[in-house]
Amino acid sequence: MRIGVDVGGTNTDAVLMDGARVVSSTKTPTTANVSEGIAKALRSVIEDSGIDRAMIDGVMIGTTHFTNAVVERKHLTPTACIRLGLPATVCLPPMVDWPDDLREMVGGNAHLAHGGHEFDGREISEFQPDEVRSIAEKIRDAGLDAIAISSVFSPVNATFEEQSAEIVRSVIPGANITLSSEIGRIGLLERENAAIMNSCLRQLAARTVDGFKAALDELRITAPFYISQNDGTLMNADFAKAYPVLTFASGPTNSMRGAAFLSGLRDAIVVDVGGTTTDIGVLQHGFPRVAALAVDIGGVRTNFRMPDTYSIGLGGGSLIESNPLKVGPRSVGYELTEKALVFGGDVLTATDVIVAGGSENIGDPSAVSQLDASLVSAVQARIMEMIAIAVDRMKTSATPVPVIVVGGGSILVTGAIEGASEIIKPDHFPVANAIGAAIAQVGGECDRIFSLAELSRDEALDQAKGEASDRAVNAGADAASIEIVDVEEVPLAYLPGNATRIMVKAIGDLVEA
């Protein structure tokens, strides 16, 4: 049996599953101390089901904690960056595209050194160990031990990053080092940004993961726990401590994976309506479609794997204005049960309008019985228009596609969605995000450029598949269950040497405890 937990901005959801069957589920308000909210949700599903804690095989947790830390500029560790690429890349130094306040908080400590490779593995300049050692000594003298190391085209050849890491560890024992080749894709600045962000979050990650462990210990749950990643797969606790940036989009991803599981569809559009926002994403082969472009996190461009989602300011707590008519983006959020009219408050929200329209019976319907019928009708029409426009933005053709509606705020969907072949609201839709976490597998990815002048296409594909599989195993997957679920190959005609970019995704089942 598994427990899935998803920590959102408004609610923390938990679900206990026995195979494919939902045994118990709950929604509790998210707390300032994330661990307290998780402990409360876990206690609720365990007590509700009466399960013996020894029967729990694993706890899967999705959290927005690290995303919020970047967005809110909190709990970030000052971090140094070493970039290997001189004499190239001088005109755009590390963190050049960061917001000033975030760069200042992280420290803006950047150093350039010789090294780096061309796309085909040729050296840009000779690696100079003494130069890196001198930089490491400066970083040590500055009192820093969080370091990100990037090198030009390191996803093709990571040798210089690895050699630099060894030198830095000899100068700063116990240094917290992130190599850009382990996280990001092709594209120096975005990959480097991801590495810096990862290093500055590692201390927070250690405290957070330890807090999760303490919450489980408090409830006498001895089963292993895992953290959900951006791509809908899981990583073990130690891996999460090392790579916290890989959790950034786990919330909407969990919802999409849960929607696929509950509906039985592998290709569809998912509309996840929460208390404050609505996230729209696309399922391909049962997993979220990955964003092709750089993704902005807290004002910083990154290029590690992230789901392609579109968010709008529409949720159950969205504020309604009548003149002129406006729905959201402002919301009462987690205060919905205190401020909405149907709960005895004095604020008109989207939930109030849905209750007044007779679609749902929540709280005290008499509190909204006097709402103007034309206003109710106009708001419902505006909500459906907002959703239809968002769905249309995510489609790649005019062909109607199935739309799966999930999330606690999905009561707002009261009619047909233009461009949808059908609308599916599966059982347990309010906790689809927690279900997505509970049923997740473990994944790994490879994204590299290969020169087919030096090796055959089949050899390049085998290398990429092997690297993706190894990363899945390192994240906690059973090697015997590894399956390659996606292979993309993009010939790069603008580069010499018959270059091609190969992207491979591998998934596997969790290693049994």
Side-chain angles (χ1 to χ4, degrees), residues 66-87:
F66 306 121
T67 317
N68 295 342
V70 175
V71 173
E72 297 173 9
R73 314 306 200 231
K74 294 180 179 178
H75 313 298
L76 304 178
T77 303
T79 299
C81 176
I82 302 174
R83 180 196 290 172
L84 307 167
L86 287 177

Side-chain angles (χ1 to χ4, degrees), residues 220-307:
R220 303 190 308 282
I221 297 175
T222 58
F225 73 97
Y226 304 86
I227 310 294
S228 56
Q229 299 189 80
N230 300 325
D231 62 356
T233 60
L234 298 170
M235 53 185 168
N236 59 38
D238 289 338
F239 199 84
K241 285 184 179 181
Y243 302 106
V245 294
L246 299 183
T247 70
F248 275 175
S250 61
T253 302
N254 283 342
S255 293
M256 295 174 67
R257 287 283 291 144
F261 176 81
L262 292 172
S263 67
L265 295 178
R266 293 177 58 82
D267 298 281
I269 287 181
V270 177
V271 177
D272 177 20
V273 191
T276 303
T277 62
T278 294
D279 298 317
I280 299 92
V282 179
L283 283 172
Q284 291 181 331
H285 312 298
F287 284 86
R289 182 174 72 193
V290 177
L293 303 176
V295 178
D296 184 291
I297 303 293
V300 178
R301 286 165 54 86
T302 62
N303 67 351
F304 47 84
R305 59 183 184 271
M306 291 280 279

